Amino acid sequence: MIHTVAETGSTNADLACRVAAGEALREGVWLVADRQTAGRGRQGRAWFDGLGNFMGSTWIERRPGDPLPGTLALVAGLAVFETVSSVIPPPHRAVLKWPNDVLIGGAKLCGILLEGAGQGIIVGIGVNLAQAPTVAGRETIALSTFGPAPDRDLFAEALARNFAREVERWRTFGLEPLVRRWMAAGHAEGTPLLVGEPGEEPLRGTFAGLAADGALQLRLADGTTRVIHAGEVRLAPGN
């Protein structure tokens, strides 16, 4: 079920407030906004408020036996990947960058933010359907680059279906098939990467696949492999 509002501060914050107030949220319910005035991305960055883009959040219950909640980042990335892949005309194709960025030609198409809330996780997703933001030092893209922008409401319905399917697979089959499918959708092994927060000296290496728990494996110049569980990951210039 998808609930739409004309304007709000942040769909993630709205769901968090509802959880904090004791409201019993149900999985499969999405809150989608036409406009956001206080959307947030990773590290508190402003989340671009482009009219015609998709901006929405949903809540996932943490159940006994579920994989680690952080791996929902991979789930969300795959759901967006599957949704946008159905509307991108060939020869263009989407590619995943760890853990959940969806890129087209190296340019960022979406943003995904996971936040704990009560006994569950809020997943906020923004996808550039009609407009792409201007971000210093980062290339961005919108699906309107390839033709008329997808209808936001139809896109939301498709994303909700794909997300529910990916969550069910995550719960039923665990991480092994999730990691395998992510690898098939991700950039190639050997892709040069930079890992580190903005302003820091980045750790340089090449993509060496995902670990069994979904962590990034980074092969360093000396041949050793560093396992990355969190951090800003960027494609090295020239990719």
Side-chain angles (χ1 to χ4, degrees), residues 23 28 42 69 82 97 120 125 131 148 161 201 208 223 234:
E23 182 176 341
R42 190 175 177 277
E82 294 291 348
K97 177 175 68 66
I125 298 176
Q131 306 178 55
R161 288 194 302 270
E201 181 64 29
R234 308 184 299 281

Side-chain angles (χ1 to χ4, degrees), residues 119-136:
Q119 298 302 308
I121 304 292
I122 295 171
V123 181
I125 298 176
V127 183
N128 302 330
L129 304 182
Q131 306 178 55
T134 299
V135 180

Side-chain angles (χ1 to χ4, degrees), residues 55-77:
M55 294 164 280
S57 302
T58 191
W59 181 83
I60 303 300
E61 179 186 8
R62 295 180 62 177
R63 301 177 184 174
D66 279 353
L68 292 173
T71 57
L72 282 168
L74 304 181
V75 170

Side-chain angles (χ1 to χ4, degrees), residues 5-30:
V5 295
E7 183 175 300
T8 188
S10 159
T11 55
N12 264 33
D14 288 351
L15 291 189
C17 288
R18 290 164 62 176
V19 171
E23 182 176 341
L25 298 184
R26 292 189 298 109
E27 284 194 4
V29 174
W30 285 76

Side-chain angles (χ1 to χ4, degrees), residues 79-103:
V80 175
F81 171 85
E82 294 291 348
T83 308
V84 303
S85 292
S86 67
V87 298
I88 301 173
H92 307 286
R93 62 183 294 266
V95 174
L96 284 169
K97 177 175 68 66
W98 189 87
N100 53 29
D101 278 347
V102 179
L103 310 178

Side-chain angles (χ1 to χ4, degrees), residues 3-201:
H3 298 289
T4 302
V5 295
E7 183 175 300
T8 188
S10 159
T11 55
N12 264 33
D14 288 351
L15 291 189
C17 288
R18 290 164 62 176
V19 171
E23 182 176 341
L25 298 184
R26 292 189 298 109
E27 284 194 4
V29 174
W30 285 76
L31 178 63
V32 175
D34 296 339
R35 303 297 299 261
Q36 283 192 142
T37 59
R40 293 172 293 110
R42 190 175 177 277
Q43 298 292 326
R45 298 187 186 103
W47 194 333
F48 177 61
D49 176 27
L51 185 63
N53 289 350
F54 174 84
M55 294 164 280
S57 302
T58 191
W59 181 83
I60 303 300
E61 179 186 8
R62 295 180 62 177
R63 301 177 184 174
D66 279 353
L68 292 173
T71 57
L72 282 168
L74 304 181
V75 170
L78 270 173
V80 175
F81 171 85
E82 294 291 348
T83 308
V84 303
S85 292
S86 67
V87 298
I88 301 173
H92 307 286
R93 62 183 294 266
V95 174
L96 284 169
K97 177 175 68 66
W98 189 87
N100 53 29
D101 278 347
V102 179
L103 310 178
I104 301 177
K108 185 171 178 174
L109 178 69
C110 80
I112 298 174
L113 179 66
L114 274 64
E115 298 182 293
Q119 298 302 308
I121 304 292
I122 295 171
V123 181
I125 298 176
V127 183
N128 302 330
L129 304 182
Q131 306 178 55
T134 299
V135 180
R138 178 172 298 182
E139 188 178 359
T140 61
I141 198 167
L143 291 179
S144 59
T145 301
F146 310 105
D151 179 86
R152 196 281 310 274
D153 292 342
L154 293 178
F155 183 90
E157 292 171 2
L159 178 58
R161 288 194 302 270
N162 286 327
F163 189 84
R165 185 180 301 119
E166 295 298 341
V167 169
E168 182 62 26
R169 289 170 172 166
W170 173 76
R171 283 204 171 105
T172 304
F173 304 111
L175 294 184
E176 182 179 354
L178 174 66
V179 167
R180 186 168 61 247
R181 292 178 60 241
W182 195 102
M183 286 286 295
H187 46 67
E189 291 193 53
T191 298
L193 300 175
L194 304 175
V195 180
E197 302 301 334
E200 298 178 351
E201 181 64 29

